[in-house]
Amino acid sequence: MAAAVGRVLPLCCRWGVGPRAQTLRLICTTTTAVQKKNVGASGPEKYTEAFIKKQIEEFNLGKRHLANMMGEDPETFTQEDIDRAIAYLFPSGLFDEQARPVMKHPNEVFPEQRKIQWGEDGRPFNFLFYTGKQSYYSLMHETYEKLLNVQKHQDQLIAQDLPLQKEKRNLAGSRWLTKIELEEMLLEKVSDDDYSRFIQLLQKLVALPCADIEEKYIQKFSKEVPVQLQKVVIEPLQYDERGVAFSTGEGKRKTARATAVVYDNGTGKITVNGIDILHYFPVLQDREQLLFPFQFLGRVGKHDTVCTVSGGGRSAQAGAIRLATAKALRSFVTEKEVEFMRQAGLLTVDPRVKERKKPGQEGPRRKFTWKKR
């Protein structure tokens, strides 16, 4: 996706029509930034220092004009103020935010390029220059050299009758760099086959018993994955004035919001907004969805449930009550059963919503009927 830079042009020096017309004719134009190329084979860099310097000057000039139009101080006009001003002056109904008009600093728009790779005589410094992928092949050479060093170290240990370090590197909680991240590191395009070959070479290096001697090198191409499943603190059971244990849970689905209070030692009675479940949900499918957490845990008829729900339709309300009930039941079961509930999707919010209608067509997907006459 091509990035864009907005330039507010000082048109007051071009049209002498009046301040109102001048304000109306101040427009935000966008310049398309060329996508990253294989600079090693395409010659000198297109984005030279002079080019970037000129773009920065135009950006600062446009920012000053934009601040004056919004009645703000140009010296304290931040990027957030620029985004708000662009959204106000040029409202866009485009669904994709990347397709809307923006105004960013040139350093954020134009890709970083490598420095000059050849001397004054025009000869390249690197012997892999004419491969078109000198950074990639240099990386492969370096990685294979690391692999040979590890194998040589292992042979020395075997010759001295010393035990090999058999503890392999724990890859849990980490991942290799993606193809896009590798391209940003090398500043050149990498094909899918080249990327898979590099990852295979890294995996072969990691699989060696003494790979820990190249730990720092391996860490350059791996990233830690943030913990997504943090241990949720489950609230303990509460007791009412009668001494009956109960637990509370909240859930949502589309625009529906629900709260469920599950009581222990019940008969299976469920009320929704003070109405029995049979009358509130006449559709069988909605009742089955609401009762599924009890069926999954084998606790049908063991609890009484009082639910309050608002917003959405009957189907969305049933999904919200199901999530609230499942969260409330966590206090009555063991941690192992809670994990089974999570794997079954009972503790996950359903993110699906109604798809918006698209302009120029009848519905979200449906097109207008074409008529020849």
Side-chain angles (χ1 to χ4, degrees), residues 8 23 26 64-72 89:
V8 181
T23 304
L26 283 170
R64 180 172 294 276
H65 282 286
L66 190 62
N68 293 333
M69 292 172 65
M70 299 301 296
E72 301 288 342
L89 294 173

Side-chain angles (χ1 to χ4, degrees), residues 251-258 309-313 316-317 320 352-353:
K252 62 181 181 178
R253 169 78 173 95
K254 292 185 177 179
T255 58
R257 301 292 182 270
V309 64
S310 62
Q317 289 182 353
R352 297 176 299 172
V353 295

Side-chain angles (χ1 to χ4, degrees), residues 292-293 296-297 322-323 326-327 341-348:
F292 181 69
F296 184 81
L297 297 173
R322 165 183 156 167
L323 179 61
K327 289 183 176 180
M341 293 173 64
R342 186 194 67 80
Q343 294 178 1
L346 289 173
L347 303 178
T348 305

Side-chain angles (χ1 to χ4, degrees), residues 81-358:
D81 299 330
I82 293 175
D83 296 339
R84 284 195 295 268
I86 293 296
Y88 174 75
L89 294 173
F90 307 99
S92 174
L94 296 176
F95 185 74
D96 191 353
E97 294 184 357
Q98 293 183 351
R100 300 175 183 175
V102 294
M103 180 175 175
K104 300 291 184 183
H105 195 277
N107 291 339
E108 300 180 18
V109 175
F110 297 102
E112 181 184 0
Q113 302 286 8
R114 292 194 304 269
K115 295 182 180 179
I116 299 299
Q117 300 293 322
W118 45 84
E120 296 180 357
D121 56 353
R123 294 184 179 182
F125 298 138
N126 197 315
F127 71 99
L128 295 171
F129 176 82
Y130 290 106
T131 62
K133 300 179 181 178
Q134 60 179 13
S135 297
Y136 170 75
Y137 287 116
S138 297
L139 181 63
M140 292 291 287
H141 276 279
E142 185 179 5
T143 307
Y144 188 70
E145 184 178 356
K146 300 292 183 183
L147 187 143
L148 294 179
N149 291 338
V150 173
Q151 291 179 345
K152 182 178 179 180
H153 178 71
Q154 291 180 178
D155 294 339
Q156 292 176 354
L157 293 179
I158 294 174
Q160 299 175 7
D161 294 333
L162 296 177
L164 297 177
Q165 303 173 2
K166 296 183 180 181
E167 294 184 1
K168 295 184 178 180
R169 186 173 184 266
N170 186 14
L171 297 177
S174 63
R175 63 169 178 82
W176 298 116
L177 293 180
T178 62
K179 178 187 171 185
I180 297 177
E181 293 171 344
L182 185 63
E183 289 177 346
E184 292 177 354
M185 176 185 291
L186 301 179
L187 297 178
E188 64 185 20
K189 289 292 183 180
V190 178
S191 65
D192 294 337
D193 294 338
D194 292 341
Y195 174 74
S196 66
R197 278 194 291 267
F198 174 66
I199 296 300
Q200 290 174 3
L201 188 59
L202 279 179
Q203 292 174 346
K204 187 176 180 180
L205 174 61
V206 172
L208 295 176
C210 298
D212 56 342
I213 64 175
E214 299 293 346
E215 182 74 17
K216 292 183 179 180
Y217 182 78
I218 296 174
Q219 288 179 352
K220 290 168 53 179
F221 307 101
S222 63
K223 283 190 174 182
E224 294 184 0
V225 178
V227 179
Q228 298 179 352
L229 300 175
Q230 298 180 352
K231 190 173 182 180
V232 180
V233 178
I234 301 175
E235 296 183 0
L237 291 173
Q238 304 177 20
Y239 296 88
D240 58 6
E241 62 276 2
R242 299 173 298 170
V244 179
F246 70 93
S247 179
T248 306
E250 296 181 352
K252 62 181 181 178
R253 169 78 173 95
K254 292 185 177 179
T255 58
R257 301 292 182 270
T259 302
V261 182
V262 179
Y263 293 91
D264 199 9
N265 299 327
T267 59
K269 182 180 179 181
I270 301 177
T271 58
V272 181
N273 292 342
I275 305 174
D276 188 77
I277 182 177
L278 292 174
H279 297 91
Y280 195 88
F281 291 109
V283 180
L284 177 62
Q285 182 179 358
D286 296 337
R287 296 199 299 270
E288 289 178 346
Q289 183 171 343
L290 193 149
L291 291 171
F292 181 69
F294 298 98
Q295 295 175 350
F296 184 81
L297 297 173
R299 290 179 169 270
V300 177
K302 296 182 180 180
H303 301 277
D304 289 340
T305 308
V306 178
C307 306
T308 57
V309 64
S310 62
R314 286 293 186 260
S315 178
Q317 289 182 353
I321 294 175
R322 165 183 156 167
L323 179 61
T325 305
K327 289 183 176 180
L329 285 173
R330 294 180 302 179
S331 302
F332 295 94
V333 298
T334 62
E335 292 186 1
K336 188 175 182 180
E337 290 176 309
V338 172
E339 179 62 19
F340 289 154
M341 293 173 64
R342 186 194 67 80
Q343 294 178 1
L346 289 173
L347 303 178
T348 305
V349 180
D350 191 348
R352 297 176 299 172
V353 295
K354 181 180 178 181
E355 187 175 351
R356 57 156 284 182
K357 178 188 178 299
K358 309 300 188 306

